Amino acid sequence: MELKRVVVTGLGALTPLGNTVSEYWNGLVNGVSGAAPITRFDASKFKTQFACEVKGYDPEQYFDRKEARKMDLFTQFAVIVADEAVKDARLDDESLNKERIGVIWGSGIGGLRTFQEECVNFANGDGTPRFNPFFIPKMIADISAGHISIKYGFRGPNFVTVSACASATNALIDSFNYIRLGMVDVVVSGGSEAAVTEAGIGGFNALKALSERNDSPATASRPFDKERDGFVLGEGAAAIVLEEYEHAKARGAKIYAELIGGGMSADAYHITAPHPEGLGARNVMANALKDSGIRPEEVDYINVHGTSTPLGDVSEAKAIEYVFGDHAYNLNISSTKSMTGHLLGAAGAIEAVASILSIQHGVVPPTINHTTDDDQFNPKLNFTFNQAQQRDVKVAMSNTFGFGGHNTSVIFKKVTE
């Protein structure tokens, strides 16, 4: 069968750099750090006392108080960005066939704050089981997609993918496949995460995964820098409306870019560490290129996983050189996690938005906080250090890798007739 083309017709974002798509993009191109001391709880006794939190967030700006109490923060974030994307794509048109509009979301953890609060309340009680009646529906990761579909009446496929930090990109790939196979016309996809909690910070500290640069949070996320010491935890969400090309054209939808392919692979190596030679990363990028039907030389920009960890950054850089050969030195490479921190299951969503906007605006966001070269990286690689660079980005790739060895990659292209 002939596969259908899939395009992006709507965007939404709520990030540590800004609470709308335009604010987020402005922060990216200006190299703004979203890291600061934690405000959500007293972190003074933790090894890491900072994170990339969403700024100035007031749920009552978006929900009535009763409604907000039924949702964990990660679901609130999901509903907010979906609303921005739905309005951007004009999906609130009652003439659309809602039986053919789906919601496929991603979250690596789901309602961590809700789970933590309910367990603490029980432990501090007298042993009588008193739990919030919304405990389970607030906690489960799939509820985010459920809330979005209920709000808009979208009755197509509805589920959430869970693959740690690859979750949102997995959701995009599933959405892409449903549309190109002709099973639906539109999918609201993306991801959300809200893990800046005592359990989230404490758990990642125990893994020795987080930066402990408490004296300078804004410079703590420094991918590909010799002084990197771990990632910075972030929170937030992004939504991307994917739509069948002819369906979008027929209704006069704005088209940002075309999603032309996706790849998936497993390291099959270790529960938290990447393969030292980047084998899974090699395979996933090669799979994405094959699925897209393009040559490596056609890619202009890679928004890398680039978490600012000692092992992960090295393995990804090795994989890029292996897959792209000499063209690796013509690429722009950047890690926007240097600014947003690591949004875990939502990372792929906000980074896909960054990749799409790099195509639309002809600008590659920087990898900030670079001060010291690391001889583990080939100096011929262009990591777009410290300042955004102008470039006609025709094709952009976005990589996300997760604990458990899950690897995903998607490729976006400037739209042509």
Short mmCIF file of all heavy atoms in Angstrom, two decimals, residues 7 58 68 79 120-121 129 131 138 150 155 189 224 256 259 274-275 287 290 371 375 377 387 396 399:
data_model
loop_
_atom_site.label_atom_id
_atom_site.label_comp_id
_atom_site.label_asym_id
_atom_site.label_seq_id
_atom_site.Cartn_x
_atom_site.Cartn_y
_atom_site.Cartn_z
N VAL A 7 2.22 15.47 8.35
CA VAL A 7 2.76 16.81 8.58
C VAL A 7 2.38 17.31 9.97
O VAL A 7 1.48 16.79 10.63
CB VAL A 7 2.27 17.81 7.51
CG1 VAL A 7 2.85 17.45 6.14
CG2 VAL A 7 0.74 17.86 7.45
N ASP A 58 0.56 28.76 37.71
CA ASP A 58 -0.59 28.82 38.60
C ASP A 58 -1.71 28.02 37.95
O ASP A 58 -2.28 28.45 36.93
CB ASP A 58 -1.03 30.27 38.80
CG ASP A 58 -2.28 30.39 39.67
OD1 ASP A 58 -2.77 29.36 40.17
OD2 ASP A 58 -2.78 31.52 39.83
N ALA A 68 -8.67 21.07 38.94
CA ALA A 68 -7.23 20.92 39.12
C ALA A 68 -6.90 19.87 40.16
O ALA A 68 -5.90 19.13 40.03
CB ALA A 68 -6.61 22.26 39.53
N VAL A 79 -2.68 18.73 29.48
CA VAL A 79 -3.92 19.35 29.01
C VAL A 79 -3.66 20.78 28.51
O VAL A 79 -4.21 21.21 27.49
CB VAL A 79 -4.99 19.34 30.13
CG1 VAL A 79 -6.21 20.16 29.73
CG2 VAL A 79 -5.39 17.90 30.45
N VAL A 120 3.04 9.07 51.69
CA VAL A 120 3.47 9.80 52.89
C VAL A 120 2.29 9.99 53.85
O VAL A 120 2.42 9.79 55.06
CB VAL A 120 4.08 11.16 52.50
CG1 VAL A 120 4.25 12.05 53.73
CG2 VAL A 120 5.43 10.95 51.81
N ASN A 121 1.13 10.37 53.32
CA ASN A 121 -0.04 10.57 54.16
C ASN A 121 -0.43 9.28 54.89
O ASN A 121 -0.79 9.30 56.08
CB ASN A 121 -1.22 11.07 53.33
CG ASN A 121 -1.02 12.50 52.85
OD1 ASN A 121 -0.21 13.25 53.40
ND2 ASN A 121 -1.77 12.90 51.83
N PRO A 129 -6.58 2.92 56.34
CA PRO A 129 -6.38 3.24 54.91
C PRO A 129 -7.32 4.35 54.44
O PRO A 129 -8.46 4.12 54.07
CB PRO A 129 -6.69 1.92 54.21
CG PRO A 129 -7.58 1.18 55.16
CD PRO A 129 -7.17 1.59 56.53
N PHE A 131 -7.33 7.02 51.58
CA PHE A 131 -6.69 7.46 50.34
C PHE A 131 -7.65 8.35 49.55
O PHE A 131 -8.86 8.17 49.59
CB PHE A 131 -6.27 6.26 49.49
CG PHE A 131 -5.10 5.50 50.04
CD1 PHE A 131 -5.29 4.45 50.93
CD2 PHE A 131 -3.80 5.85 49.69
CE1 PHE A 131 -4.21 3.75 51.45
CE2 PHE A 131 -2.72 5.16 50.21
CZ PHE A 131 -2.93 4.11 51.10
N LYS A 138 -5.24 9.86 39.21
CA LYS A 138 -4.26 10.94 39.12
C LYS A 138 -2.87 10.40 38.83
O LYS A 138 -2.06 11.06 38.18
CB LYS A 138 -4.22 11.73 40.43
CG LYS A 138 -5.40 12.67 40.65
CD LYS A 138 -5.35 13.35 42.00
CE LYS A 138 -4.22 14.35 42.11
NZ LYS A 138 -4.25 15.09 43.40
N ILE A 150 -11.13 13.37 26.34
CA ILE A 150 -12.43 13.71 26.92
C ILE A 150 -12.75 15.19 26.70
O ILE A 150 -13.88 15.56 26.36
CB ILE A 150 -12.43 13.37 28.43
CG1 ILE A 150 -12.41 11.85 28.62
CG2 ILE A 150 -13.64 13.98 29.13
CD1 ILE A 150 -12.08 11.41 30.04
N ARG A 155 -12.18 10.62 19.55
CA ARG A 155 -12.52 9.22 19.80
C ARG A 155 -11.68 8.23 19.02
O ARG A 155 -12.02 7.06 18.91
CB ARG A 155 -14.02 9.02 19.52
CG ARG A 155 -14.92 9.75 20.51
CD ARG A 155 -16.39 9.49 20.27
NE ARG A 155 -16.87 10.13 19.04
CZ ARG A 155 -17.30 11.39 18.96
NH1 ARG A 155 -17.31 12.16 20.05
NH2 ARG A 155 -17.71 11.89 17.82
N SER A 189 -0.22 14.44 19.74
CA SER A 189 0.84 13.66 20.37
C SER A 189 1.75 14.57 21.18
O SER A 189 1.64 15.79 21.14
CB SER A 189 1.64 12.90 19.31
OG SER A 189 2.48 11.93 19.90
N PHE A 224 28.71 17.79 26.54
CA PHE A 224 29.95 17.75 25.74
C PHE A 224 31.06 18.62 26.31
O PHE A 224 32.07 18.83 25.65
CB PHE A 224 29.65 18.10 24.27
CG PHE A 224 28.51 17.30 23.69
CD1 PHE A 224 27.28 17.90 23.46
CD2 PHE A 224 28.66 15.95 23.43
CE1 PHE A 224 26.21 17.16 22.96
CE2 PHE A 224 27.60 15.21 22.93
CZ PHE A 224 26.37 15.81 22.69
N TYR A 256 3.83 23.25 9.53
CA TYR A 256 5.15 23.62 10.04
C TYR A 256 6.27 22.83 9.37
O TYR A 256 7.33 23.38 9.04
CB TYR A 256 5.23 23.35 11.54
CG TYR A 256 4.50 24.32 12.41
CD1 TYR A 256 3.21 24.06 12.84
CD2 TYR A 256 5.11 25.51 12.84
CE1 TYR A 256 2.53 24.94 13.68
CE2 TYR A 256 4.45 26.39 13.67
CZ TYR A 256 3.15 26.11 14.08
OH TYR A 256 2.50 26.98 14.90
N LEU A 259 6.89 15.15 9.02
CA LEU A 259 7.56 14.06 9.72
C LEU A 259 7.75 12.94 8.70
O LEU A 259 6.76 12.40 8.18
CB LEU A 259 6.71 13.58 10.91
CG LEU A 259 7.21 12.37 11.70
CD1 LEU A 259 8.64 12.55 12.18
CD2 LEU A 259 6.30 12.09 12.88
N PRO A 274 24.61 3.70 28.81
CA PRO A 274 24.52 3.47 27.36
C PRO A 274 25.59 2.48 26.91
O PRO A 274 26.59 2.26 27.61
CB PRO A 274 24.79 4.85 26.77
CG PRO A 274 25.71 5.49 27.77
CD PRO A 274 25.24 5.00 29.12
N HIS A 275 25.38 1.89 25.75
CA HIS A 275 26.43 1.06 25.17
C HIS A 275 27.66 1.94 24.93
O HIS A 275 27.56 3.03 24.37
CB HIS A 275 25.95 0.45 23.86
CG HIS A 275 26.86 -0.59 23.31
ND1 HIS A 275 28.03 -0.29 22.65
CD2 HIS A 275 26.79 -1.95 23.35
CE1 HIS A 275 28.64 -1.40 22.29
NE2 HIS A 275 27.91 -2.43 22.70
N ASN A 287 18.15 3.36 11.46
CA ASN A 287 16.76 2.93 11.21
C ASN A 287 15.88 4.11 10.81
O ASN A 287 15.02 3.99 9.92
CB ASN A 287 16.19 2.27 12.47
CG ASN A 287 16.83 0.94 12.79
OD1 ASN A 287 17.47 0.33 11.94
ND2 ASN A 287 16.67 0.48 14.02
N LYS A 290 16.70 5.09 7.22
CA LYS A 290 16.13 4.11 6.28
C LYS A 290 14.63 4.30 6.14
O LYS A 290 14.08 4.29 5.03
CB LYS A 290 16.44 2.70 6.76
CG LYS A 290 15.94 1.60 5.83
CD LYS A 290 16.31 0.22 6.35
CE LYS A 290 15.79 -0.87 5.40
NZ LYS A 290 16.13 -2.23 5.91
N THR A 371 32.64 25.57 28.36
CA THR A 371 33.83 26.34 28.74
C THR A 371 35.13 25.59 28.48
O THR A 371 36.15 26.20 28.19
CB THR A 371 33.79 26.73 30.23
OG1 THR A 371 33.70 25.53 31.03
CG2 THR A 371 32.59 27.62 30.53
N ASP A 375 38.78 16.13 25.21
CA ASP A 375 39.45 15.46 24.10
C ASP A 375 38.81 14.12 23.74
O ASP A 375 39.25 13.45 22.81
CB ASP A 375 40.96 15.28 24.38
CG ASP A 375 41.24 14.46 25.63
OD1 ASP A 375 40.32 13.81 26.15
OD2 ASP A 375 42.41 14.48 26.09
N PHE A 377 35.93 14.12 22.47
CA PHE A 377 35.11 14.49 21.33
C PHE A 377 35.97 15.03 20.20
O PHE A 377 36.89 15.83 20.43
CB PHE A 377 34.08 15.56 21.73
CG PHE A 377 33.17 15.12 22.85
CD1 PHE A 377 33.28 15.71 24.11
CD2 PHE A 377 32.25 14.11 22.66
CE1 PHE A 377 32.47 15.30 25.15
CE2 PHE A 377 31.43 13.69 23.70
CZ PHE A 377 31.54 14.28 24.94
N GLN A 387 26.20 29.81 21.25
CA GLN A 387 25.40 30.76 20.49
C GLN A 387 24.63 30.05 19.39
O GLN A 387 25.15 29.14 18.76
CB GLN A 387 26.27 31.84 19.86
CG GLN A 387 26.79 32.88 20.85
CD GLN A 387 27.40 34.07 20.14
OE1 GLN A 387 28.10 33.92 19.14
NE2 GLN A 387 27.14 35.27 20.65
N ALA A 396 15.89 17.88 9.91
CA ALA A 396 16.36 17.84 11.29
C ALA A 396 16.00 16.49 11.92
O ALA A 396 14.89 15.99 11.74
CB ALA A 396 15.74 18.97 12.11
N ASN A 399 16.97 12.93 18.62
CA ASN A 399 17.28 11.66 19.30
C ASN A 399 16.84 11.69 20.75
O ASN A 399 17.06 12.70 21.45
CB ASN A 399 18.79 11.39 19.29
CG ASN A 399 19.34 11.10 17.93
OD1 ASN A 399 18.62 10.71 17.02
ND2 ASN A 399 20.64 11.26 17.78
#
